[in-house]
Amino acid sequence: MTTTRPAPVLSGERPAPARRSRRRQARTFGFHLAAGGLAVLWLLPILLVLTTSVRSFSDIASNGLGALPDSFDLGSFGEAWGVGGGGHAMLNSLVVTIPTVFLSLLLAAAAAFALSRYRIPFRRTIILVMLSGNLLPPQILLVPVSKLAELLGIYDTLTALVVVQVGFGLGFYTFVLQGFMRSIPDELQQAALIDGAGPVQIFWRIILPMTRPALAALGALAFTWTFNDLLWSITVLRTETVMPVTPALLGLQGQYVSNWNVIAAGSVIAAVPTVLVFLRFQKHFISGLAIGAIK
């Protein structure tokens, strides 16, 4: 009985699986190195703002913004919140953002339900028309939107900002939600119809609960976009007392032009709500949008 021996490996050569494994490890190391470098570049400005916000004015004036902290002072947060008007601006932002997110998702879900679950003539045309508003440069719409707010009698009010934010976000939200709702099996709707459920009951009790991942993802996006908006705020608002937090930061910069610690503290305060919302909905943030876009 003869025994077959494996072919000897020549000196200086490695088996093919070993070479592929080393190449894979090299690519993985290169990817992590590049991703780590980009993460560091992205975190450096945030770290600079955080360290500046807890430094005293004298420390910054003596050593400069780029120097290592030589003091620790939280008084700039109180000054930015109180004297700088950050607390009132934060309240204005929440008054605008919460109704905007609720109305946008409710109207978009209702429109997406009709466009995805029923045979509506020119369905794709309607979706494209709704989405076309997001394709226009917003700069060319500043004057028409401002004049329309004046004609409606809501200029320089938070109501005008809510209406503008809902109007410009509705097309995108409807587009994403209708793609998600189309993936829900028709058998569920047919079974509900047999049991005597109407369109409203099907929407509230079946379709809407199954759309929760996409709604959570869009809710986080809508909150971030609305809360951080600057363009539409300065377009339909004029009085300082009704300004949300993002345009209020511009006023804070003009008021404390050399007090970089107060300006940095105001920026940190403005970023807290959006960070909290993202941390709360981070599980749905990417997965919900990916499922809605693919399906």
Side-chain angles (χ1 to χ4, degrees):
M1 182 176 180
T2 59
T3 303
T4 303
R5 295 183 179 180
V9 179
L10 298 178
S11 177
E13 293 186 0
R14 294 182 179 272
R19 290 198 300 270
R20 287 196 296 268
S21 178
R22 291 182 65 86
R23 286 197 297 267
R24 190 182 305 112
Q25 292 176 359
R27 287 195 299 267
T28 302
F29 176 77
F31 171 78
H32 286 284
L33 184 63
L38 291 176
V40 170
L41 290 177
W42 183 78
L43 290 174
L44 280 178
I46 299 177
L47 182 62
L48 178 61
V49 172
L50 290 176
T51 55
T52 303
S53 65
V54 297
R55 296 173 64 185
S56 63
F57 174 76
S58 58
D59 180 16
I60 298 176
S62 301
N63 303 319
L65 284 174
L68 293 176
D70 194 26
S71 60
F72 184 81
D73 184 14
L74 297 178
S76 55
F77 286 92
E79 190 171 357
W81 182 267
V83 181
H88 187 72
M90 181 74 70
L91 179 61
N92 290 337
S93 292
L94 294 177
V95 169
V96 171
T97 303
I98 294 176
T100 297
V101 173
F102 178 78
L103 290 174
S104 298
L105 295 184
L106 179 62
L107 295 175
F113 172 71
L115 292 170
S116 62
R117 312 304 298 183
Y118 296 97
R119 295 182 178 179
I120 299 178
F122 307 105
R123 182 184 65 85
R124 293 188 177 181
T125 304
I126 295 174
I127 295 175
L128 290 176
V129 170
M130 295 182 66
L131 195 61
S132 61
N134 299 97
L135 304 178
L136 295 175
Q139 290 79 6
I140 67 175
L141 301 174
L142 298 183
V143 174
V145 168
S146 177
K147 293 298 182 181
L148 180 61
E150 291 181 1
L151 292 175
L152 295 176
I154 58 175
Y155 182 76
D156 199 25
T157 64
L158 295 179
T159 303
L161 190 55
V162 172
V163 172
V164 171
Q165 295 286 1
V166 172
F168 280 96
L170 192 59
F172 174 74
Y173 305 144
T174 303
F175 173 75
V176 175
L177 287 176
Q178 66 87 26
F180 193 97
M181 290 181 181
R182 290 181 63 187
S183 65
I184 299 175
D186 293 334
E187 290 77 7
L188 295 176
Q189 183 172 347
Q190 298 299 328
L193 289 173
I194 294 175
D195 292 337
V200 177
Q201 292 176 318
I202 294 174
F203 173 70
W204 281 107
R205 297 184 179 182
I206 298 177
I207 302 300
L208 205 59
M210 298 185 69
T211 321
R212 188 179 304 172
L215 288 173
L218 288 177
L221 274 179
F223 187 95
T224 303
W225 289 342
T226 305
F227 192 89
N228 294 333
D229 173 69
L230 173 64
L231 183 63
W232 297 121
S233 298
I234 61 178
T235 300
V236 299
L237 300 178
R238 179 178 54 196
T239 308
E240 184 178 352
T241 56
V242 297
M243 287 292 179
V245 67
T246 303
L249 286 175
L250 293 178
L252 188 66
Q253 185 175 0
Q255 184 179 358
Y256 297 89
V257 63
S258 59
N259 290 12
W260 291 104
N261 55 336
V262 179
I263 298 174
S267 302
V268 173
I269 293 173
V272 168
T274 54
V275 172
L276 293 178
V277 168
F278 178 77
L279 293 177
R280 173 62 181 84
F281 294 101
Q282 62 178 335
K283 294 181 180 179
H284 308 286
F285 188 75
I286 297 177
S287 61
L289 285 181
I291 294 174
I294 295 174
K295 295 185 178 180

